Amino acid sequence: MPTQSNDQAGEGLLRVLADNVPAMIAYYEPKNLRCVFANRVYAESNGCSVDSIVGKTVREVVGEEAWRLIEPQVERVLKGEKVEYIRPMTLPGGEQRYIEVNLIPHLDSEAQMLGAFVLITDITRHQLAERAIRESEERMRKFAAATSEGIFFHKDRVLTDVNEALLAIMGYKREEMIGHDTLEFVPPEWHQTMTDYIRAQREDPYEAEALHKSGHKIAVELVGKTMHMKGETLRMGALRDITARRHAEARIQYLAHHDMLTGLPNRAYLTERLASILALARRHGTLVAIMFIDLDNFKTVNDSLGHHVGDALLKQVATRIREVLREADMVSRLGGDEFLVILADFSAPDDAANVASKLLQVIATPVEFEGRQVCANASIGISVFPRDGDNADDLIRHADAAMYSAKEHGRGHSRFYAPGLSDTAAETQARESRLREALRRGEFVLFYQPQLRVSDLRLVGIEALVRWRHPDRGLTDPSEFIEFAETRGLIDEIGQYVLREACRQNKAWQDAGLAALPISVNVSAVQFRRGDLVAEVKRALDDTGLESRYLELELTEGILMDQDTVGSALAGLRALGVKITIDDFGTGYSSLSYLKRYPIDKLKIDRSFIDDLGTDEDERAIAIAIINLAKTLKLTALAEGVERQEQLDFLRAHGCDEFQGYLAGNPVPAEVFTAFSRG
Ligand code: C2E
Ligand code: MG
Ligand code: MG
């Protein structure tokens, strides 16, 4: 039985082999398709043992469901065809696998079918991996379609794929790009950069330009990625249109360097430029002048005529300054009503002074806005490199100090820096901001002083006098801040407050049933010259409801000298029905002609002539002269600062109409005054 034993040995070996390969193996006879042999995995995967499976039909082995799937394949193999297919398979435990099935016909030498080999490989893992790739490709495609970034693939610069976004950015159709060299879509000046990036396989983002189909350049941000696929090296690029960002950046850059209102360079830009201008001047040994220009009374224009007029005025001033300057010069707006000019092209300080006076002149030319004449006067401080400083900061600071000094010595002037000005500038600034704060906080109050008729001591008028109720220093007299406020352009606001408050209070007294009397309000020359006093007074009257005949304005003689403005302003006030008093009469540049020329109602004899009425011969003579002058011109004469009875007696003897002073009453707060006038 060697054959038998050989057969057994062969079968044993076959079994060992079959059970140890990682595939499923079976053999079926062709007639009834019954299993003749199966290895362990095959049998067990079909829920059988290697013994029990023998004799079963394929249909029984795989089950009805699978049979429906494989029946056509089985027919093919029975016809002698080699069949290969993939199908899902459910293991007895319920686990789902993918298998690759090979059905191999076993033919004899006459091509007679002896049986069919079944060889099955579990390809589940492979299948899943493939599906993952398919899904990721799908995701990638969707992603590429969804993003607004242009995405392209190229091999050695030849485009192989592009997404819709890229076509939209570039303005091309797909077929116009695919197969073309990427460099065709890039301006020549960027070719080198791009090839460098590709050659070095760089993957960091960079900014470049692309060429739109219409020929214009598009600012883009690019990032390339190198990919190794199927043994090939591909490059993928993502491109973003950054035109909008570039515009925004340019805008921000511009904003950072310019004043929006006037379009002039701002302080930051100017300081930057000044540094290089100075460096140049240092090298060439030339002069540079820094001019600090500050508008006088700008705030009043802004507040009384509105911000739009203020803005328009600033623009106008900016234009005018620029017109005076030369190419090499520079002007910038520092903010508010401050401008800074750099003169880089002049040979002697006198030239700078000339430019300054030209600037003052053009700035002061009235501008018409909405039918109104608006005036901007300026004060200018000048510092000169290298004399007044060798760096931008010092020069600007010194020009600033010179400007303050110019303001203090009467507005509308220019001044050169001189050593020692700087310290006071800082002090002045602190004082100014303190005063502005006081305005904001409402720390100004009015005191009221009675004016009596000399003949019968009846109350005939009230003077409103401003006080600063300083939180630390207490009640502060106007001598401490009025003049300062005038030089710093603050008097307009203070004056406006006083005017309104006096009108309001007077109306309130009348409404409360007190005798109707005129109230006198002191008006600063600065306020008067500004030109819109008439409108302001009218508004105060309208707003408070006070009749104009109950308002008097006290002006100083100096105002009358200012021929240009005074006539129309006084006529305007007179037309309103407001009375005009000349305050501190006798101390100014008295010119009798103007007393006749202008509509004036009252002369207030300055306190200095009243002081020593009893003893000083000259003062007596002056007082008498003023009283007589008033009589001749049919004006009321009022004596200020009457403290003693003998002074009053003297005034009565010489026919003075009215008087005011401690003898009649001190300036007091409104509530005290109410009690006084009732009593
Ligand atoms: P003024 O208009 O000549 O006011 C009279 C000043 O003399 C007041 O000083 C008043 O308190 C003081 N006075 C009154 N009676 C007597 C007296 O019998 N003897 C003495 N020695 N002095 C007397 P005040 O209030 O300090 O004002 C000083 C100046 O400040 C005022 O002189 C006026 O020119 C200015 N002023 C006051 N209030 C205002 C205001 O609201 N606006 C403006 N622009 N200036 C004002
Ligand atoms: Mg007065
Ligand atoms: Mg006075």
Side-chain angles (χ1 to χ4, degrees), residues 201-377:
Q201 303 198 351
R202 287 178 65 166
E203 301 201 339
D204 51 314
Y206 62 107
E207 291 186 5
E209 281 176 330
L211 264 186
H212 189 269
K213 188 180 179 183
S214 69
H216 69 263
K217 294 173 185 173
I218 313 164
V220 295
E221 186 187 81
L222 268 170
V223 59
K225 298 281 171 202
T226 299
M227 304 191 301
H228 302 285
M229 279 173 84
K230 296 176 188 157
E232 284 187 337
T233 302
L234 271 181
R235 225 166 126 83
M236 181 202 127
L239 166 155
R240 181 183 306 168
D241 182 346
I242 55 167
T243 311
R245 193 176 86 197
R246 278 280 169 80
H247 283 321
E249 279 167 1
R251 181 89 186 132
I252 288 166
Q253 190 72 2
Y254 182 83
L255 285 178
H257 281 144
H258 289 83
D259 161 46
M260 279 310 95
L261 179 66
T262 58
L264 293 179
N266 62 12
R267 179 177 222 131
Y269 188 37
L270 174 119
T271 345
E272 218 178 281
R273 290 279 300 118
L274 183 53
S276 48
I277 290 173
L278 291 180
L280 212 65
R282 209 171 283 128
R283 196 138 31 97
H284 298 305
T286 51
L287 299 176
V288 177
I290 315 296
M291 294 189 184
F292 206 111
I293 305 177
D294 187 286
L295 302 187
D296 305 330
N297 307 331
F298 171 73
K299 182 128 187 29
T300 314
V301 172
N302 218 25
D303 290 352
S304 55
L305 302 181
H307 287 285
H308 65 292
V309 175
D311 286 354
L313 181 65
L314 288 174
K315 280 194 214 170
Q316 184 62 246
V317 168
T319 310
R320 290 178 176 184
I321 294 176
R322 234 181 335 209
E323 278 166 8
V324 168
L325 300 180
R326 289 198 259 163
E327 200 65 50
D329 306 334
M330 181 173 172
V331 55
S332 98
R333 178 168 171 239
L334 300 184
D337 55 357
E338 292 175 344
F339 296 85
L340 205 110
V341 165
I342 302 174
L343 290 192
D345 186 14
F346 69 106
S347 46
D350 266 359
D351 296 344
N354 288 339
V355 174
S357 62
K358 223 185 279 170
L359 285 172
L360 288 172
Q361 201 184 321
V362 296
I363 293 172
T365 313
V367 197
E368 203 173 289
F369 289 116
E370 298 164 357
R372 276 172 200 276
Q373 293 266 317
V374 182
C375 236
N377 276 301

Side-chain angles (χ1 to χ4, degrees), residues 297 300-305 372-374 492 496 499 526-539 569 573:
N297 307 331
T300 314
V301 172
N302 218 25
D303 290 352
S304 55
L305 302 181
R372 276 172 200 276
Q373 293 266 317
V374 182
D492 294 303
Q496 225 170 70
L499 181 64
V526 176
Q527 258 175 297
F528 192 84
R529 281 196 211 106
R530 201 192 53 240
D532 57 356
L533 183 67
V534 180
E536 198 178 291
V537 168
K538 177 157 180 2
R539 227 173 306 133
L573 291 171

Side-chain angles (χ1 to χ4, degrees), residues 463 522 554 583-584 604 606-607 640:
E463 180 173 19
N522 295 281
E554 295 195 11
D583 203 351
D584 306 339
K604 278 183 107 168
D606 189 67
R607 206 168 61 222
E640 282 186 296

Side-chain angles (χ1 to χ4, degrees), residues 140 151-155 158-161 227 234-236:
M140 186 67 190
I151 295 174
F152 56 95
F153 293 84
H154 65 92
K155 185 172 160 33
V158 175
L159 289 167
T160 57
D161 199 3
M227 304 191 301
L234 271 181
R235 225 166 126 83
M236 181 202 127

Side-chain angles (χ1 to χ4, degrees), residues 105-157:
H106 184 205
L107 308 173
D108 67 7
S109 49
E110 266 105 60
Q112 281 299 305
M113 174 74 64
L114 298 176
F117 285 108
V118 181
L119 182 68
I120 296 175
T121 343
D122 186 336
I123 55 160
T124 309
R125 206 150 25 122
H126 183 73
Q127 193 72 8
L128 287 180
E130 226 170 54
R131 189 204 283 172
I133 288 172
R134 256 201 321 277
E135 282 174 359
S136 108
E137 276 178 355
E138 175 74 12
R139 258 203 308 275
M140 186 67 190
R141 238 190 318 277
K142 285 197 169 142
F143 180 64
T147 180
S148 61
E149 287 197 358
I151 295 174
F152 56 95
F153 293 84
H154 65 92
K155 185 172 160 33
D156 302 328
R157 292 206 328 241

